[in-house]
């Protein structure tokens, strides 16, 4: 397993989350002069996006994120996005948060599967960051935060070998291998089957630096070509015209990771609903995380260092519904098995000693698994930052 996978996973899933939230906030926003107090406006949308992006690219969190470390469990990673989505005045109930996370994970899984070569996962990440920068064009301070992360990505990843990127891709595919959630957009575009598995194309550009299949060359022991044999392929392959740019600014060429919700289309998820699917989710969530104790201990130290936006005074949090109607959202919540629940503990991150003591009390009541033998706290406790977002 690659120790350099976590930043790419976090940033790409975060990018997909921002795409979905932006689309739904735009769909539900009302012109400012016509909006009631409890209705969304475009000002609210921008505030939500700015707050979430500010929290997501917090300097302290990014420093910990980029330290070489293993991936954590799906349930633990989910925790950060629960906290991240609520880092502003926006509030999602459990059913909408489930749907949001399903859309995020399946979209990035599809992008990883379609990458022509492992190194192109970095271009997918750059596409997400390019789009995030578009969301915050009028906020130079937040833009600097994203650019700093961009520079870290370039510094750390552009020098990695093809073999190291292959290991990163393999690590991502292992993480996603049991996720087969049906998504309406993919079903309508016929890139996903009814069982939730993706349909991979046998056409299009081949990876940069490779040739279109159809020719076999044979060489003698001296390395001289002695024979050529051509064969016919079923796919319509083409040679790419140029390689995507790995610079801070440039044409990525690859379209994977761009905003597929920029076109007006509903954000829907069709859950498979089979008992087999639900059982697999339940099994996944009951497996203890061997790093939980270190993660929670680290959280106790770092939680006060991150600022989380909470509605103050008479201001109330705005609720966002990722379903078409409130009835659909309520039905999804009622039909959701209890064992799939991800409980979110909302804690205001401040430096007050009393609140830190309360945090320690809450953490002490949580049932955690003992760390695996030989594990060290350093480099293995990034997830502890998640509730601090």
């Amino acid at each position: 397993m690659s120790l350099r996978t976590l930043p790419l996973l976090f940033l790409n899933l975060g990018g997909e989350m921002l795409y979905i939230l932006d689309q739904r906030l735009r769909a539900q926003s009302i012109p400012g002069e016509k909006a009631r107090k409890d209705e969304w406006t475009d000002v609210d949308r921008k505030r939500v996006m700015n707050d979430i992006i500010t929290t997501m690219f917090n300097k302290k969190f990014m420093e910990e994120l980029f330290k070489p470390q293993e991936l954590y469990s799906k349930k633990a990673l989910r925790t950060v996005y629960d906290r991240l989505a609520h880092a502003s005045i926006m509030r999602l109930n459990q059913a909408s948060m489930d749907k949001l996370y399903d859309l995020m994970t399946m979209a990035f899984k599809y992008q990883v599967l379609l990458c022509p070569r492992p190194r192109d996962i970095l271009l997918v990440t750059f596409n997400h960051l390019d789009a995030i920068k578009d969301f915050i064009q009028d906020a130079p301070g937040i833009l600097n935060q994203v650019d700093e992360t961009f520079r870290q990505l370039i510094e750390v990843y552009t020098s990695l070998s093809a073999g190291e990127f292959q290991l990163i891709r393999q690590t991502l595919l292992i993480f996603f291998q049991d996720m087969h959630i049906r998504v309406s957009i993919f079903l309508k575009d016929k890139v996903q089957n009814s069982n939730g598995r993706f349909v991979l194309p046998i056409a299009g550009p081949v990876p940069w630096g490779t040739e279109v299949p159809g020719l076999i060359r044979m060489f003698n022991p001296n390395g001289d070509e002695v024979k050529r044999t051509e064969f016919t392929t079923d796919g319509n392959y083409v040679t790419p015209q140029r390689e995507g740019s790995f610079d801070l600014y440039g044409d990525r060429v690859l379209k994977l990771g761009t905003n597929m919700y920029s076109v007006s289309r509903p954000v829907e998820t069709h859950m498979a609903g089979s008992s087999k699917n639900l059982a697999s989710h339940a099994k996944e969530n009951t497996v203890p995380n061997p790093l939980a104790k270190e993660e929670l201990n680290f959280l106790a130290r770092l939680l006060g260092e991150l600022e989380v936006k909470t509605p103050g005074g008479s201001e109330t949090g705005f609720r966002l519904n990722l379903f078409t109607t409130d009835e659909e959202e309520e039905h999804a919540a009622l039909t959701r098995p209890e064992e799939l629940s991800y409980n979110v503990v909302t804690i205001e991150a401040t430096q007050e000693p009393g609140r830190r003591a309360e945090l320690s009390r809450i953490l002490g009541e949580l049932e955690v698994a003992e760390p695996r033998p030989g594990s060290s706290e350093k480099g293995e406790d990034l997830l502890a930052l998640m509730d601090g977002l």
Side-chain angles (χ1 to χ4, degrees), residues 89-344:
I89 59 173
M90 181 187 69
R91 293 296 174 262
L92 296 170
N93 74 14
Q94 192 67 67
S96 283
M97 189 64 220
D98 290 342
K99 186 172 185 177
L100 173 62
Y101 191 70
D102 288 342
L103 289 166
M104 292 159 48
T105 52
M106 294 308 289
F108 185 45
K109 177 181 179 178
Y110 184 57
Q111 293 157 15
V112 173
L113 287 171
L114 257 61
C115 274
R117 55 179 184 165
R119 184 177 294 274
D120 290 334
I121 292 172
L122 190 55
L123 292 178
V124 174
T125 310
F126 286 177
N127 275 334
H128 280 115
L129 293 191
D130 287 340
I132 290 172
K133 289 167 68 174
D134 289 338
F135 289 142
I136 50 173
Q137 284 181 337
D138 55 350
I142 311 174
L143 196 60
N144 287 336
Q145 285 182 254
V146 180
D147 278 340
E148 181 56 35
T149 299
F150 228 128
R151 294 185 185 95
Q152 283 183 275
L153 282 169
I154 292 172
E155 179 182 349
V156 173
Y157 288 93
T158 53
S159 60
L160 296 184
S161 67
E164 288 172 304
F165 272 106
Q166 172 58 23
L167 189 57
I168 288 173
R169 182 176 185 271
Q170 185 179 7
T171 304
L172 289 170
L173 292 177
I174 292 171
F175 180 83
F176 288 124
Q177 66 181 348
D178 296 324
M179 295 182 176
H180 306 295
I181 301 159
R182 297 184 298 163
V183 178
S184 63
I185 289 178
F186 295 139
L187 293 169
K188 290 174 183 176
D189 291 344
K190 300 188 184 304
V191 299
Q192 190 179 30
N193 291 325
S194 59
N195 61 3
R197 297 183 183 274
F198 288 111
V199 179
L200 302 184
I202 54 170
V206 297
W208 175 258
T210 63
E211 298 180 7
V212 173
L215 179 64
I216 300 174
R217 294 186 178 92
M218 282 164 276
F219 299 84
N220 63 22
N222 297 324
D224 301 320
E225 184 178 329
V226 295
K227 185 180 178 181
R228 289 191 175 194
T229 304
E230 294 184 357
F231 64 93
T232 304
T233 62
D234 294 331
N236 183 23
Y237 299 103
V238 295
T239 304
Q241 296 183 345
R242 62 189 185 281
E243 184 180 24
S245 171
F246 289 90
D247 296 326
L248 185 60
Y249 304 99
D251 183 4
R252 312 303 174 194
V253 179
L254 193 70
K255 299 305 178 185
L256 297 172
T258 55
N259 191 352
M260 65 179 176
Y261 306 105
S262 57
V263 183
S264 179
R265 35 167 54 170
V267 181
E268 298 176 3
T269 311
H270 293 305
M271 298 298 291
S274 67
S275 58
K276 181 179 179 181
N277 235 16
L278 297 178
S280 66
H281 275 291
K283 180 179 179 182
E284 164 199 317
N285 290 326
T286 56
V287 174
N289 177 6
L291 300 175
K293 190 169 184 178
E294 288 120 319
E295 292 161 7
L296 294 176
N297 288 340
F298 194 49
L299 168 60
R301 296 197 305 273
L302 294 177
L303 186 59
E305 298 177 12
L306 296 179
E307 179 182 357
V308 178
K309 303 287 183 181
T310 55
S314 60
E315 186 180 35
T316 58
F318 285 84
R319 187 176 72 87
L320 180 66
N321 183 0
L322 262 72
F323 292 80
T324 307
T325 64
D326 287 347
E327 289 74 17
E328 285 186 22
E329 186 181 47
E330 291 169 4
H331 177 72
L334 290 173
T335 56
R336 184 172 185 269
E338 185 177 350
E339 62 266 22
L340 302 188
S341 295
Y342 296 88
N343 294 322
V344 181

